[in-house]
Amino acid sequence: MGQAVGRQVSYIRSVVEHAIAALKNWTILSTGYRHRLNELPDTITLATKLELYRTGW
């Protein structure tokens, strides 16, 4: 049972690491967000959904 849990944790960790690597490639994170702040949550949600669609999740 310990190995199965370890595999699940490893899988989740790799997914998170890939997501962080993808975020680092986005220009918005290095240049800053220059639009209305009240629209930022919708922009993040849209970008997340597009990335999930692109990767087949």
mmCIF file with all atom_site columns, all heavy atoms in Angstrom, residues 23-38:
data_model
loop_
_atom_site.group_PDB
_atom_site.id
_atom_site.type_symbol
_atom_site.label_atom_id
_atom_site.label_alt_id
_atom_site.label_comp_id
_atom_site.label_asym_id
_atom_site.label_entity_id
_atom_site.label_seq_id
_atom_site.pdbx_PDB_ins_code
_atom_site.Cartn_x
_atom_site.Cartn_y
_atom_site.Cartn_z
_atom_site.occupancy
_atom_site.B_iso_or_equiv
_atom_site.pdbx_formal_charge
_atom_site.auth_seq_id
_atom_site.auth_comp_id
_atom_site.auth_asym_id
_atom_site.auth_atom_id
_atom_site.pdbx_PDB_model_num
ATOM 1   N N   . LEU A 1 23 ? 3.655   27.762 -16.680 1.00 0.00 ? 23 LEU A N   1
ATOM 2   C CA  . LEU A 1 23 ? 3.380   29.131 -16.251 1.00 0.00 ? 23 LEU A CA  1
ATOM 3   C C   . LEU A 1 23 ? 4.600   30.023 -16.392 1.00 0.00 ? 23 LEU A C   1
ATOM 4   O O   . LEU A 1 23 ? 4.486   31.197 -16.739 1.00 0.00 ? 23 LEU A O   1
ATOM 5   C CB  . LEU A 1 23 ? 2.906   29.141 -14.791 1.00 0.00 ? 23 LEU A CB  1
ATOM 6   C CG  . LEU A 1 23 ? 1.500   28.656 -14.530 1.00 0.00 ? 23 LEU A CG  1
ATOM 7   C CD1 . LEU A 1 23 ? 1.239   28.580 -13.033 1.00 0.00 ? 23 LEU A CD1 1
ATOM 8   C CD2 . LEU A 1 23 ? 0.490   29.555 -15.199 1.00 0.00 ? 23 LEU A CD2 1
ATOM 9   N N   . LYS A 1 24 ? 5.774   29.484 -16.131 1.00 0.00 ? 24 LYS A N   1
ATOM 10  C CA  . LYS A 1 24 ? 6.998   30.275 -16.225 1.00 0.00 ? 24 LYS A CA  1
ATOM 11  C C   . LYS A 1 24 ? 7.272   30.724 -17.653 1.00 0.00 ? 24 LYS A C   1
ATOM 12  O O   . LYS A 1 24 ? 7.963   31.708 -17.870 1.00 0.00 ? 24 LYS A O   1
ATOM 13  C CB  . LYS A 1 24 ? 8.184   29.485 -15.677 1.00 0.00 ? 24 LYS A CB  1
ATOM 14  C CG  . LYS A 1 24 ? 8.171   29.366 -14.178 1.00 0.00 ? 24 LYS A CG  1
ATOM 15  C CD  . LYS A 1 24 ? 9.391   28.614 -13.682 1.00 0.00 ? 24 LYS A CD  1
ATOM 16  C CE  . LYS A 1 24 ? 9.395   28.522 -12.170 1.00 0.00 ? 24 LYS A CE  1
ATOM 17  N NZ  . LYS A 1 24 ? 10.580  27.817 -11.678 1.00 0.00 ? 24 LYS A NZ  1
ATOM 18  N N   . ASN A 1 25 ? 6.729   30.008 -18.624 1.00 0.00 ? 25 ASN A N   1
ATOM 19  C CA  . ASN A 1 25 ? 6.928   30.378 -20.018 1.00 0.00 ? 25 ASN A CA  1
ATOM 20  C C   . ASN A 1 25 ? 6.002   31.502 -20.477 1.00 0.00 ? 25 ASN A C   1
ATOM 21  O O   . ASN A 1 25 ? 6.202   32.063 -21.539 1.00 0.00 ? 25 ASN A O   1
ATOM 22  C CB  . ASN A 1 25 ? 6.733   29.168 -20.927 1.00 0.00 ? 25 ASN A CB  1
ATOM 23  C CG  . ASN A 1 25 ? 7.868   28.194 -20.813 1.00 0.00 ? 25 ASN A CG  1
ATOM 24  O OD1 . ASN A 1 25 ? 9.003   28.582 -20.592 1.00 0.00 ? 25 ASN A OD1 1
ATOM 25  N ND2 . ASN A 1 25 ? 7.569   26.927 -20.965 1.00 0.00 ? 25 ASN A ND2 1
ATOM 26  N N   . TRP A 1 26 ? 4.987   31.797 -19.696 1.00 0.00 ? 26 TRP A N   1
ATOM 27  C CA  . TRP A 1 26 ? 4.036   32.822 -20.095 1.00 0.00 ? 26 TRP A CA  1
ATOM 28  C C   . TRP A 1 26 ? 4.624   34.203 -19.846 1.00 0.00 ? 26 TRP A C   1
ATOM 29  O O   . TRP A 1 26 ? 5.069   34.528 -18.747 1.00 0.00 ? 26 TRP A O   1
ATOM 30  C CB  . TRP A 1 26 ? 2.727   32.662 -19.350 1.00 0.00 ? 26 TRP A CB  1
ATOM 31  C CG  . TRP A 1 26 ? 1.975   31.429 -19.740 1.00 0.00 ? 26 TRP A CG  1
ATOM 32  C CD1 . TRP A 1 26 ? 2.335   30.504 -20.667 1.00 0.00 ? 26 TRP A CD1 1
ATOM 33  C CD2 . TRP A 1 26 ? 0.733   30.994 -19.203 1.00 0.00 ? 26 TRP A CD2 1
ATOM 34  N NE1 . TRP A 1 26 ? 1.393   29.516 -20.746 1.00 0.00 ? 26 TRP A NE1 1
ATOM 35  C CE2 . TRP A 1 26 ? 0.403   29.790 -19.860 1.00 0.00 ? 26 TRP A CE2 1
ATOM 36  C CE3 . TRP A 1 26 ? -0.122  31.508 -18.243 1.00 0.00 ? 26 TRP A CE3 1
ATOM 37  C CZ2 . TRP A 1 26 ? -0.753  29.101 -19.584 1.00 0.00 ? 26 TRP A CZ2 1
ATOM 38  C CZ3 . TRP A 1 26 ? -1.274  30.809 -17.959 1.00 0.00 ? 26 TRP A CZ3 1
ATOM 39  C CH2 . TRP A 1 26 ? -1.590  29.631 -18.635 1.00 0.00 ? 26 TRP A CH2 1
ATOM 40  N N   . THR A 1 27 ? 4.577   35.059 -20.832 1.00 0.00 ? 27 THR A N   1
ATOM 41  C CA  . THR A 1 27 ? 5.153   36.395 -20.759 1.00 0.00 ? 27 THR A CA  1
ATOM 42  C C   . THR A 1 27 ? 4.483   37.245 -19.680 1.00 0.00 ? 27 THR A C   1
ATOM 43  O O   . THR A 1 27 ? 5.149   38.062 -19.041 1.00 0.00 ? 27 THR A O   1
ATOM 44  C CB  . THR A 1 27 ? 4.992   37.096 -22.122 1.00 0.00 ? 27 THR A CB  1
ATOM 45  O OG1 . THR A 1 27 ? 5.527   36.252 -23.132 1.00 0.00 ? 27 THR A OG1 1
ATOM 46  C CG2 . THR A 1 27 ? 5.721   38.417 -22.142 1.00 0.00 ? 27 THR A CG2 1
ATOM 47  N N   . ILE A 1 28 ? 3.206   37.037 -19.453 1.00 0.00 ? 28 ILE A N   1
ATOM 48  C CA  . ILE A 1 28 ? 2.481   37.863 -18.493 1.00 0.00 ? 28 ILE A CA  1
ATOM 49  C C   . ILE A 1 28 ? 3.108   37.804 -17.101 1.00 0.00 ? 28 ILE A C   1
ATOM 50  O O   . ILE A 1 28 ? 3.068   38.768 -16.339 1.00 0.00 ? 28 ILE A O   1
ATOM 51  C CB  . ILE A 1 28 ? 0.985   37.486 -18.443 1.00 0.00 ? 28 ILE A CB  1
ATOM 52  C CG1 . ILE A 1 28 ? 0.189   38.511 -17.666 1.00 0.00 ? 28 ILE A CG1 1
ATOM 53  C CG2 . ILE A 1 28 ? 0.806   36.115 -17.837 1.00 0.00 ? 28 ILE A CG2 1
ATOM 54  C CD1 . ILE A 1 28 ? -1.294  38.324 -17.753 1.00 0.00 ? 28 ILE A CD1 1
ATOM 55  N N   . LEU A 1 29 ? 3.725   36.676 -16.771 1.00 0.00 ? 29 LEU A N   1
ATOM 56  C CA  . LEU A 1 29 ? 4.304   36.543 -15.440 1.00 0.00 ? 29 LEU A CA  1
ATOM 57  C C   . LEU A 1 29 ? 5.600   37.345 -15.301 1.00 0.00 ? 29 LEU A C   1
ATOM 58  O O   . LEU A 1 29 ? 5.967   37.734 -14.202 1.00 0.00 ? 29 LEU A O   1
ATOM 59  C CB  . LEU A 1 29 ? 4.554   35.071 -15.123 1.00 0.00 ? 29 LEU A CB  1
ATOM 60  C CG  . LEU A 1 29 ? 3.292   34.212 -15.047 1.00 0.00 ? 29 LEU A CG  1
ATOM 61  C CD1 . LEU A 1 29 ? 3.651   32.772 -14.755 1.00 0.00 ? 29 LEU A CD1 1
ATOM 62  C CD2 . LEU A 1 29 ? 2.328   34.742 -14.011 1.00 0.00 ? 29 LEU A CD2 1
ATOM 63  N N   . SER A 1 30 ? 6.278   37.608 -16.405 1.00 0.00 ? 30 SER A N   1
ATOM 64  C CA  . SER A 1 30 ? 7.519   38.370 -16.315 1.00 0.00 ? 30 SER A CA  1
ATOM 65  C C   . SER A 1 30 ? 7.304   39.855 -16.567 1.00 0.00 ? 30 SER A C   1
ATOM 66  O O   . SER A 1 30 ? 8.086   40.680 -16.108 1.00 0.00 ? 30 SER A O   1
ATOM 67  C CB  . SER A 1 30 ? 8.552   37.823 -17.297 1.00 0.00 ? 30 SER A CB  1
ATOM 68  O OG  . SER A 1 30 ? 8.091   37.961 -18.615 1.00 0.00 ? 30 SER A OG  1
ATOM 69  N N   . THR A 1 31 ? 6.253   40.212 -17.300 1.00 0.00 ? 31 THR A N   1
ATOM 70  C CA  . THR A 1 31 ? 6.030   41.618 -17.625 1.00 0.00 ? 31 THR A CA  1
ATOM 71  C C   . THR A 1 31 ? 4.995   42.277 -16.726 1.00 0.00 ? 31 THR A C   1
ATOM 72  O O   . THR A 1 31 ? 4.935   43.491 -16.661 1.00 0.00 ? 31 THR A O   1
ATOM 73  C CB  . THR A 1 31 ? 5.559   41.768 -19.088 1.00 0.00 ? 31 THR A CB  1
ATOM 74  O OG1 . THR A 1 31 ? 4.325   41.061 -19.243 1.00 0.00 ? 31 THR A OG1 1
ATOM 75  C CG2 . THR A 1 31 ? 6.596   41.252 -20.047 1.00 0.00 ? 31 THR A CG2 1
ATOM 76  N N   . GLY A 1 32 ? 4.178   41.499 -16.076 1.00 0.00 ? 32 GLY A N   1
ATOM 77  C CA  . GLY A 1 32 ? 3.145   42.069 -15.212 1.00 0.00 ? 32 GLY A CA  1
ATOM 78  C C   . GLY A 1 32 ? 1.817   42.188 -15.933 1.00 0.00 ? 32 GLY A C   1
ATOM 79  O O   . GLY A 1 32 ? 1.763   42.282 -17.157 1.00 0.00 ? 32 GLY A O   1
ATOM 80  N N   . TYR A 1 33 ? 0.775   42.190 -15.180 1.00 0.00 ? 33 TYR A N   1
ATOM 81  C CA  . TYR A 1 33 ? -0.575  42.289 -15.729 1.00 0.00 ? 33 TYR A CA  1
ATOM 82  C C   . TYR A 1 33 ? -0.938  43.757 -15.845 1.00 0.00 ? 33 TYR A C   1
ATOM 83  O O   . TYR A 1 33 ? -0.923  44.493 -14.860 1.00 0.00 ? 33 TYR A O   1
ATOM 84  C CB  . TYR A 1 33 ? -1.561  41.546 -14.819 1.00 0.00 ? 33 TYR A CB  1
ATOM 85  C CG  . TYR A 1 33 ? -2.960  41.483 -15.366 1.00 0.00 ? 33 TYR A CG  1
ATOM 86  C CD1 . TYR A 1 33 ? -3.260  40.653 -16.432 1.00 0.00 ? 33 TYR A CD1 1
ATOM 87  C CD2 . TYR A 1 33 ? -3.973  42.243 -14.815 1.00 0.00 ? 33 TYR A CD2 1
ATOM 88  C CE1 . TYR A 1 33 ? -4.537  40.570 -16.939 1.00 0.00 ? 33 TYR A CE1 1
ATOM 89  C CE2 . TYR A 1 33 ? -5.262  42.176 -15.311 1.00 0.00 ? 33 TYR A CE2 1
ATOM 90  C CZ  . TYR A 1 33 ? -5.536  41.344 -16.377 1.00 0.00 ? 33 TYR A CZ  1
ATOM 91  O OH  . TYR A 1 33 ? -6.807  41.273 -16.876 1.00 0.00 ? 33 TYR A OH  1
ATOM 92  N N   . ARG A 1 34 ? -1.286  44.211 -17.043 1.00 0.00 ? 34 ARG A N   1
ATOM 93  C CA  . ARG A 1 34 ? -1.501  45.643 -17.289 1.00 0.00 ? 34 ARG A CA  1
ATOM 94  C C   . ARG A 1 34 ? -2.959  45.998 -17.558 1.00 0.00 ? 34 ARG A C   1
ATOM 95  O O   . ARG A 1 34 ? -3.245  47.075 -18.050 1.00 0.00 ? 34 ARG A O   1
ATOM 96  C CB  . ARG A 1 34 ? -0.651  46.071 -18.481 1.00 0.00 ? 34 ARG A CB  1
ATOM 97  C CG  . ARG A 1 34 ? 0.815   45.946 -18.203 1.00 0.00 ? 34 ARG A CG  1
ATOM 98  C CD  . ARG A 1 34 ? 1.620   46.535 -19.336 1.00 0.00 ? 34 ARG A CD  1
ATOM 99  N NE  . ARG A 1 34 ? 3.031   46.411 -19.029 1.00 0.00 ? 34 ARG A NE  1
ATOM 100 C CZ  . ARG A 1 34 ? 3.906   45.793 -19.783 1.00 0.00 ? 34 ARG A CZ  1
ATOM 101 N NH1 . ARG A 1 34 ? 3.530   45.238 -20.904 1.00 0.00 ? 34 ARG A NH1 1
ATOM 102 N NH2 . ARG A 1 34 ? 5.162   45.720 -19.425 1.00 0.00 ? 34 ARG A NH2 1
ATOM 103 N N   . HIS A 1 35 ? -3.859  45.105 -17.241 1.00 0.00 ? 35 HIS A N   1
ATOM 104 C CA  . HIS A 1 35 ? -5.274  45.365 -17.503 1.00 0.00 ? 35 HIS A CA  1
ATOM 105 C C   . HIS A 1 35 ? -6.018  45.540 -16.183 1.00 0.00 ? 35 HIS A C   1
ATOM 106 O O   . HIS A 1 35 ? -5.428  45.563 -15.115 1.00 0.00 ? 35 HIS A O   1
ATOM 107 C CB  . HIS A 1 35 ? -5.864  44.220 -18.321 1.00 0.00 ? 35 HIS A CB  1
ATOM 108 C CG  . HIS A 1 35 ? -5.179  44.040 -19.637 1.00 0.00 ? 35 HIS A CG  1
ATOM 109 N ND1 . HIS A 1 35 ? -5.363  44.882 -20.699 1.00 0.00 ? 35 HIS A ND1 1
ATOM 110 C CD2 . HIS A 1 35 ? -4.270  43.128 -20.053 1.00 0.00 ? 35 HIS A CD2 1
ATOM 111 C CE1 . HIS A 1 35 ? -4.623  44.500 -21.716 1.00 0.00 ? 35 HIS A CE1 1
ATOM 112 N NE2 . HIS A 1 35 ? -3.940  43.426 -21.339 1.00 0.00 ? 35 HIS A NE2 1
ATOM 113 N N   . ARG A 1 36 ? -7.327  45.665 -16.275 1.00 0.00 ? 36 ARG A N   1
ATOM 114 C CA  . ARG A 1 36 ? -8.131  45.862 -15.069 1.00 0.00 ? 36 ARG A CA  1
ATOM 115 C C   . ARG A 1 36 ? -8.032  44.658 -14.142 1.00 0.00 ? 36 ARG A C   1
ATOM 116 O O   . ARG A 1 36 ? -8.190  43.518 -14.580 1.00 0.00 ? 36 ARG A O   1
ATOM 117 C CB  . ARG A 1 36 ? -9.584  46.094 -15.452 1.00 0.00 ? 36 ARG A CB  1
ATOM 118 C CG  . ARG A 1 36 ? -9.817  47.493 -16.018 1.00 0.00 ? 36 ARG A CG  1
ATOM 119 C CD  . ARG A 1 36 ? -11.185 47.570 -16.576 1.00 0.00 ? 36 ARG A CD  1
ATOM 120 N NE  . ARG A 1 36 ? -10.969 47.260 -17.989 1.00 0.00 ? 36 ARG A NE  1
ATOM 121 C CZ  . ARG A 1 36 ? -11.873 47.336 -18.927 1.00 0.00 ? 36 ARG A CZ  1
ATOM 122 N NH1 . ARG A 1 36 ? -13.097 47.635 -18.653 1.00 0.00 ? 36 ARG A NH1 1
ATOM 123 N NH2 . ARG A 1 36 ? -11.579 47.081 -20.177 1.00 0.00 ? 36 ARG A NH2 1
ATOM 124 N N   . LEU A 1 37 ? -7.761  44.925 -12.875 1.00 0.00 ? 37 LEU A N   1
ATOM 125 C CA  . LEU A 1 37 ? -7.573  43.841 -11.909 1.00 0.00 ? 37 LEU A CA  1
ATOM 126 C C   . LEU A 1 37 ? -8.843  43.033 -11.677 1.00 0.00 ? 37 LEU A C   1
ATOM 127 O O   . LEU A 1 37 ? -8.767  41.851 -11.365 1.00 0.00 ? 37 LEU A O   1
ATOM 128 C CB  . LEU A 1 37 ? -7.058  44.394 -10.583 1.00 0.00 ? 37 LEU A CB  1
ATOM 129 C CG  . LEU A 1 37 ? -5.602  44.866 -10.598 1.00 0.00 ? 37 LEU A CG  1
ATOM 130 C CD1 . LEU A 1 37 ? -5.220  45.431 -9.233  1.00 0.00 ? 37 LEU A CD1 1
ATOM 131 C CD2 . LEU A 1 37 ? -4.670  43.735 -10.974 1.00 0.00 ? 37 LEU A CD2 1
ATOM 132 N N   . ASN A 1 38 ? -10.012 43.654 -11.841 1.00 0.00 ? 38 ASN A N   1
ATOM 133 C CA  . ASN A 1 38 ? -11.246 42.902 -11.616 1.00 0.00 ? 38 ASN A CA  1
ATOM 134 C C   . ASN A 1 38 ? -11.473 41.861 -12.711 1.00 0.00 ? 38 ASN A C   1
ATOM 135 O O   . ASN A 1 38 ? -12.276 40.947 -12.548 1.00 0.00 ? 38 ASN A O   1
ATOM 136 C CB  . ASN A 1 38 ? -12.458 43.824 -11.490 1.00 0.00 ? 38 ASN A CB  1
ATOM 137 C CG  . ASN A 1 38 ? -12.738 44.618 -12.749 1.00 0.00 ? 38 ASN A CG  1
ATOM 138 O OD1 . ASN A 1 38 ? -11.875 44.753 -13.608 1.00 0.00 ? 38 ASN A OD1 1
ATOM 139 N ND2 . ASN A 1 38 ? -13.931 45.174 -12.831 1.00 0.00 ? 38 ASN A ND2 1
#
